Amino acid sequence: MELTDEQLEKLEQMSAALMPPVEIAILLRIPPSEKALFIQTCKNHVNSPIYEAYQRGKLTTKFELRQTVVKLAKAGSPAAEPLAEKYIRDQLNNE
C-alpha cells in the first residue's frame, strides 16, 4: 500500500490530532478493501512511510503535551507534578 506525499502529510496531521487509524482511513478515502491493511500498517509496519507518518504525528503531540506538563510542574502546578514524576519513571524504565 502506498500513499501520496499529500496523503502522508494529512495522515501525520490527523494522527497529531490523536485520531485513530480507522477514522483516518475514512477521511483519506482509503478503499474499504484496503482499510484493514492501512490500519495494520499504521500500527506495525515499521519500515513503511505510512507507519512513520502516523507515529510521527502521534509522537509530536505527545512531545508537545509533555513539554507543557513539565513546564507547569516546574512552575509548581500540583496537578502537573505527579504527571511529570510519572514521565520520569517511564523514561527511566525504558532506558
Side-chain angles (χ1 to χ4, degrees):
M1 159 173 276
E2 292 187 24
L3 297 180
T4 66
D5 288 343
E6 181 182 338
Q7 287 174 311
L8 288 170
E9 180 63 32
K10 287 181 180 179
L11 166 60
E12 186 174 333
Q13 291 169 357
M14 288 184 247
S15 175
L18 304 178
M19 295 185 72
V22 67
E23 293 175 355
I24 294 171
I26 293 167
L27 291 173
L28 289 179
R29 295 190 165 97
I30 302 295
S33 61
E34 296 181 18
K35 280 184 186 172
L37 176 60
F38 173 80
I39 291 165
Q40 287 305 312
T41 302
C42 286
K43 296 177 182 179
N44 302 316
H45 295 210
V46 296
N47 295 321
S48 166
I50 293 170
Y51 174 89
E52 290 286 327
Y54 180 75
Q55 297 298 326
R56 191 172 33 255
K58 185 170 67 170
L59 292 171
T60 297
T61 297
K62 183 177 181 179
F63 172 66
E64 291 167 353
L65 291 171
R66 285 185 178 218
Q67 278 187 309
T68 300
V69 168
V70 170
K71 183 179 178 180
L72 290 170
K74 286 180 178 181
S77 167
E81 287 175 358
L83 278 174
E85 290 172 0
K86 179 188 179 307
Y87 296 158
I88 291 168
R89 284 192 305 276
D90 290 349
Q91 184 181 35
L92 292 172
N93 289 335
N94 290 313
E95 288 181 339

